[in-house]
Amino acid sequence: MALIVQKFGGTSVGSTERIKNVAKRVARWRAQGHQLVVVPSAMSGETNRLISLAKEISPQPDPRELDVVASTGEQVTIGLLSMALMEQGVKAKSYTGAQVKVLTDSAFTTARIERIDENRMRADLEAGFVVVVAGFQGVDAAGNITTLGRGGSDTSAVALAAALKADECQIYTAVDGVYTTDPRIVPEARRLDTITFEEMLEMASLGSKVLQIRSVEFAGKYKVKLRVLSSFEDKEGPGTLITYEEDPKMEKAVISGIAFNHDEAKITVMGVPDRPGVAYQILGPIGEANIDVDMIIQNASVDNMTDFSFTVNRSEYAKAMDVLNKQVKSHIKAADIRGDAKVCKVSLVGVGMRTHAGVAGKMFRTLAEEGINIQMISTSEIKVAVVIDEKYMELAVRALHKAFGLDQPQ
Ligand code: ASP
Ligand code: MG
């Protein structure tokens, strides 16, 4: 008998029919004698609907009140799911974040969990109940309702699993696991049996949005066994286990997956003097404008002049150009500021890179053979990322998937 936290995403609870199916699945696990804490999201589309209601009233809603509204989607699904479980003959009881209590800081709309009181859940589990807890929401020390940021119910589930020292946290979604890359782009993409937390973080932050990134960080930190599974198959498959360490016995592929992100934009500040403080003078104002910078490259200087390039999310491109043109260009006497909002990023991810040389070289050769020009490169211990013209994104991902043997079953 195990203690398992199961999280069901918005599509998995998107209708009363689907909620009944979730209840049947939970009932099967319960019948095997497991203790279960179930965390549903709001019904799919519901949180968006709630947020747009708020924006119809107020273009920039008060954050505390926005959380009061946005958190209600999950209150509906916990009640409905508990009823559906009772219809299956399973004892069940629902709790909001505040009832549990899931204590957070007071950063409305992006709150962080500080502590979870497990006593009530523990007592119910001992008494044979399935405990159904609202995802995405918590309560601050002053009793205000908070939410954890979009996709936050993943983090709720992981945090509950950590607090309860659960044997496993299962995330049920519309896909049956984590894939080597997006199967919509590469039909040969395969489900991975395991992936490490580090790899998953790279994959997630690079745009493979299976899990909220914070939930993966949390799981890595508290060593929660995390499994991604499909809620649409009658009998769940093995899914993908996200592990906190590599199994040394396992012969891992050098590359675990390929991530990509098309929402990128590149900016180059041309002809800036190469002296101390220039990087700060360029990126300081960008940071103050709350624009996240990703890759940064500074070229070798010629006659004490250099070019400085970086990437931002495409949605912040116009704002970044504006900041540079107004606050930076004349200040540092840059020759020109150029931008390209039609770029994308493609990255190879794999812990196997630590022990295998030549990954970057093979990547560059593969791209060259397809005639794809590389505009920027960045690397970490377990990642090689390139910025290329967005029109070559799919071609690049397919070619790399093949070149690194990901098309073949391992
Ligand atoms: N319902 C929330 C959202 O849509 C939380 C979640 O689904 O994880 O962002
Ligand atoms: Mg989600």
Side-chain angles (χ1 to χ4, degrees):
M1 191 189 79
L3 169 51
I4 302 171
V5 175
Q6 300 185 322
K7 184 253 164 178
F8 291 90
T11 34
S12 311
V13 293
S15 64
T16 48
E17 217 37 59
R18 287 192 177 160
I19 291 174
K20 289 179 192 171
N21 284 337
V22 168
K24 282 185 197 147
R25 183 181 301 274
V26 174
R28 275 204 303 274
W29 283 86
R30 182 71 196 114
Q32 290 166 23
H34 300 300
Q35 292 188 321
L36 299 163
V37 173
V38 184
V39 183
S41 296
M43 295 169 90
S44 58
E46 179 63 6
T47 309
N48 286 341
R49 189 185 74 87
L50 294 166
I51 292 172
S52 38
L53 283 180
K55 291 196 169 153
E56 280 174 29
I57 300 276
S58 164
Q60 261 156 356
D62 177 79
R64 180 187 184 277
E65 303 312 326
L66 183 58
D67 275 358
V68 170
V69 175
S71 62
T72 58
E74 275 76 7
Q75 185 164 337
V76 172
T77 49
I78 54 170
L80 292 176
L81 181 56
S82 298
M83 291 174 205
L85 282 164
M86 291 181 214
E87 290 294 326
Q88 294 290 318
V90 174
K91 284 174 34 176
K93 206 188 261 187
S94 70
Y95 291 99
T96 64
Q99 287 173 319
V100 164
K101 88 191 204 182
V102 177
L103 183 73
T104 71
D105 63 17
S106 304
F108 297 112
T109 75
T110 53
R112 282 183 178 266
I113 297 175
E114 289 178 344
R115 194 157 39 81
I116 292 180
D117 186 351
E118 20 135 19
N119 293 331
R120 267 174 109 169
M121 292 186 288
R122 198 68 85 186
D124 285 339
L125 290 170
E126 293 307 325
F129 284 92
V130 169
V131 178
V132 184
V133 178
F136 181 52
Q137 51 173 268
V139 63
D140 75 1
N144 299 302
I145 293 172
T146 56
T147 68
L148 309 180
R150 299 308 307 271
S153 51
D154 292 337
T155 301
S156 304
V158 172
L160 287 164
L164 290 161
K165 300 189 179 57
D167 296 287
E168 190 164 299
C169 180
Q170 301 178 340
I171 307 278
Y172 287 88
T173 92
V175 293
D176 66 346
V178 180
Y179 275 67
T180 48
T181 195
D182 188 338
R184 284 170 300 188
I185 298 223
V186 184
E188 291 82 10
R190 287 176 304 102
R191 180 184 55 78
L192 295 160
D193 287 327
T194 63
I195 185 168
T196 70
F197 284 109
E198 284 174 290
E199 289 172 326
M200 190 62 204
L201 281 174
E202 291 285 5
M203 296 285 279
S205 64
L206 296 165
S208 311
K209 299 181 189 75
V210 186
L211 290 173
Q212 196 201 31
I213 210 167
R214 212 196 279 176
S215 72
V216 183
E217 284 166 6
F218 212 101
K221 188 162 160 204
Y222 293 99
K223 301 211 180 337
V224 174
K225 254 174 91 183
L226 195 57
R227 194 184 290 277
V228 176
L229 311 131
S230 163
S231 64
F232 291 106
E233 292 163 23
D234 273 348
K235 177 89 189 70
E236 50 274 311
T240 299
L241 180 66
I242 305 168
T243 56
Y244 56 87
E245 58 190 27
E246 293 159 74
D247 184 345
K249 294 188 296 289
M250 215 164 50
E251 186 61 43
K252 276 275 274 177
V254 180
I255 300 301
S256 294
I258 302 175
F260 51 84
N261 190 357
H262 18 225
D263 304 326
E264 300 275 327
K266 180 180 85 164
I267 296 173
T268 302
V269 185
M270 320 264 304
V272 297
D274 189 12
R275 57 171 156 72
V278 165
Y280 174 65
Q281 283 169 325
I282 295 172
L283 293 182
I286 294 286
E288 274 156 36
N290 261 323
I291 300 169
D292 279 337
V293 170
D294 181 21
M295 279 191 205
I296 303 171
I297 287 177
Q298 185 184 319
N299 283 341
S301 60
V302 178
D303 300 331
N304 282 325
M305 298 295 271
T306 186
D307 297 337
F308 189 95
S309 300
F310 58 96
T311 59
V312 296
N313 192 285
R314 197 174 293 173
S315 63
E316 301 192 304
Y317 172 67
K319 189 166 149 202
M321 287 297 274
D322 196 50
V323 168
L324 292 175
N325 279 314
K326 290 206 177 113
Q327 298 176 39
V328 178
K329 191 175 172 196
S330 57
H331 185 58
I332 61 167
K333 300 195 175 58
D336 198 6
I337 302 203
R338 289 190 197 161
D340 183 354
K342 289 205 158 65
V343 295
C344 68
K345 182 164 73 173
V346 175
S347 317
L348 300 182
V349 177
V351 289
M353 274 182 218
R354 289 204 181 107
T355 47
H356 284 79
V359 170
K362 183 168 173 183
M363 179 185 201
F364 304 155
R365 190 179 70 217
T366 306
L367 295 173
E369 281 164 4
E370 299 294 338
I372 299 171
N373 185 37
I374 301 170
Q375 304 183 16
M376 293 168 88
I377 301 168
S378 98
T379 63
S380 80
E381 254 196 16
I382 64 164
K383 177 194 74 183
V384 187
V386 296
V387 168
I388 58 175
D389 189 322
E390 70 169 359
K391 68 172 179 262
Y392 297 125
M393 189 181 82
E394 298 193 4
L395 176 64
V397 174
R398 282 193 200 111
L400 292 167
H401 200 268
K402 186 152 195 230
F404 281 90
L406 295 174
D407 284 2
Q408 267 83 48
Q410 302 288 312

